Amino acid sequence: MPSPHPALSRRGFLTATAGAALVLASGPARAFAAAPGPFGRYGSPERRLTPLTLYVDPHGRGDFTSVQAAVTAATGSGRTLVLAPGTYRETVAVDPSRTEMTWIGASENPRDVVIVHDNAAGTPKPGGGTYGTTGSATTTLQADGFTARWITFANDWLRADHPDITGTQAVAVKVQGDRSAFLHCRFLGHQDTLYADSMALSAFARQYFRNCYVGGDVDFVFGRATAVYEQCRFHTLNRTDLTAAPYGFVFAPSTAVADPRGFLVVRGRVTSAAPDAYYKLARPWVPGSDTTARPMLTVRDTWLGPGIDAVAPYTNMSDAYPWQRQRFAEYRNAGPGAAITVPENRPQLTDAEAESATREVYLGDWTPWKES
């Protein structure tokens, strides 16, 4: 689909998409008495927090000027990357061997540290072919035990800049590892912004997002991970290229049929820059690579703004896999987008069922919220 912001430059995209996102679900970004230097209270190459800590600064005051260079050097397990404020225009990949890695935005404000690139699924690759959805990701995270704090992950590819490209999926981050946590982070894009996935159908990767912001338009939170989004804000973008609803869909889970838990949204907010009722809350994604998928999404104790179509909040991605046969449910939501006008279109959990729709049940013996 064409771009919702056809006149924006790449820099303008980051500014406009951020917009109201400058305040996260839990309030303003954390403030602290900053120490001198680009790495604040997190040390420096001259006074490392630990021997396993590396420092990244685009202006040359760290160990590396790019995130990927630091990742490449950070072999083994338990490494920490401290990122100085700046825009890191690059693609980054963390392979499965680099377990228990932590990235920290040194200013403790996610607006200051931005990792961004501009590939789309249909972007031609050097040497032939195109990137595809997975290959379009600005950041790909495959290792278990990954944690990010106070970082913006973005893909600023704009449809209007590339009218010849039909593969408009443009992923900001693809997460595949188990025990992946994102605290006070932002995810900016349009279509397919946040890809919460796993390494294989048999791998039920657990992921946790707390006090995060996600912006986009089409299926911009999607994948087959077991993912908990707690106190997060999901913001749907306006579109000037379309004249009728729907403009897009917030969630598109593709949960494996054997996985008892998919996406859980708890105490969140869904806001919109688009006209009222121009967005669907979700549609199920049953990919060709897994036609047995049974997508699962539970949204509970969440405020749904007027941008969500309250009469028909769910729709099909393919008529062969109707949403009514999937695992979609809500519980105690509020706001104009949560109004129950057609009960059969708003499946609700019972109180007894809701007892199992918690972060503790979804994440099991992993307790990342105690670290946030």
Side-chain angles (χ1 to χ4, degrees):
M1 296 180 184
S3 169
H5 295 292
L8 289 183
S9 65
R10 291 174 182 173
R11 177 174 293 181
F13 163 78
L14 290 175
T15 303
T17 307
L22 301 186
V23 177
L24 301 181
S26 62
R30 180 175 175 179
F32 67 98
F39 303 107
R41 65 189 182 100
Y42 291 99
S44 68
E46 295 72 33
R47 49 186 183 89
R48 296 182 192 277
L49 291 182
T50 74
L52 296 180
T53 303
L54 295 174
Y55 295 87
V56 188
D57 175 40
H59 305 292
R61 295 166 293 180
D63 299 305
F64 302 94
T65 57
S66 77
V67 180
Q68 184 59 63
V71 169
T72 300
T75 55
S77 183
R79 304 301 294 263
T80 295
L81 271 55
V82 180
L83 278 58
T87 298
Y88 299 85
R89 179 163 288 280
E90 57 179 305
T91 58
V92 185
V94 178
D95 68 44
S97 71
R98 289 164 166 79
T99 57
E100 313 304 326
M101 179 176 280
T102 298
W103 295 1
I104 299 172
S107 70
E108 299 193 0
N109 184 335
R111 287 160 276 182
D112 295 340
V113 178
V114 180
I115 303 172
V116 59
H117 203 64
D118 60 345
N119 286 329
T123 299
K125 294 173 63 176
T130 58
Y131 283 100
T133 299
T134 290
S136 75
T138 297
T139 303
T140 302
L141 304 167
Q142 296 183 320
D144 292 345
F146 178 87
T147 299
R149 294 182 173 89
W150 304 296
I151 293 173
T152 292
F153 299 88
N155 189 319
D156 62 356
W157 187 89
L158 295 175
R159 300 177 182 110
D161 292 344
H162 306 276
D164 55 321
I165 292 179
T166 57
T168 57
Q169 301 88 344
V171 177
V173 63
K174 180 172 184 177
V175 191
Q176 295 177 277
D178 185 38
R179 294 180 293 104
S180 299
F182 298 83
L183 312 171
H184 305 279
C185 290
R186 297 192 306 162
F187 305 89
L188 307 182
H190 290 286
Q191 182 172 351
D192 292 5
T193 304
L194 171 54
Y195 195 170
D197 205 47
S198 68
M199 290 294 289
L201 279 175
S202 58
F204 301 156
R206 294 166 297 174
Q207 298 169 12
Y208 181 66
F209 302 81
R210 183 182 177 95
N211 295 324
C212 291
Y213 169 93
V214 193
D217 49 40
V218 177
D219 304 330
F220 63 94
V221 183
F222 74 115
R224 68 176 174 229
T226 294
V228 175
Y229 306 89
E230 184 170 26
Q231 293 180 246
C232 292
R233 179 179 174 188
F234 307 90
H235 189 68
T236 62
L237 303 177
N238 194 21
R239 302 190 62 163
T240 58
D241 58 300
L242 299 181
T243 58
Y247 279 1
F249 321 88
V250 181
F251 301 100
S254 58
T255 321
V257 67
D259 192 343
R261 299 175 186 93
F263 288 178
L264 172 65
V265 179
V266 57
R267 294 191 298 279
R269 296 171 60 211
V270 179
T271 59
S272 184
D276 291 357
Y278 267 51
Y279 272 85
K280 303 291 186 180
L281 185 60
R283 61 179 182 171
W285 177 33
V286 179
S289 59
D290 179 22
T291 57
T292 66
R294 191 157 178 254
M296 182 177 185
L297 166 70
T298 297
V299 180
R300 62 169 300 171
D301 301 294
T302 289
W303 188 84
L304 305 180
I308 296 299
D309 180 357
V311 175
Y314 306 105
T315 190
N316 299 336
M317 186 176 295
S318 167
D319 290 341
Y321 305 100
W323 72 264
Q324 293 90 342
R325 296 181 187 173
Q326 313 310 321
R327 295 176 284 180
F328 285 4
E330 301 177 52
Y331 184 69
R332 294 193 316 198
N333 293 325
I340 302 175
T341 58
V342 183
E344 59 266 32
N345 289 346
R346 310 297 301 247
Q348 304 289 311
L349 296 180
T350 65
D351 291 344
E353 290 170 335
E355 292 179 1
S356 297
T358 66
R359 66 186 181 191
E360 291 84 357
V361 171
Y362 271 56
L363 301 183
D365 60 358
W366 178 46
T367 57
W369 60 87
K370 293 184 179 179
E371 304 169 6
S372 63

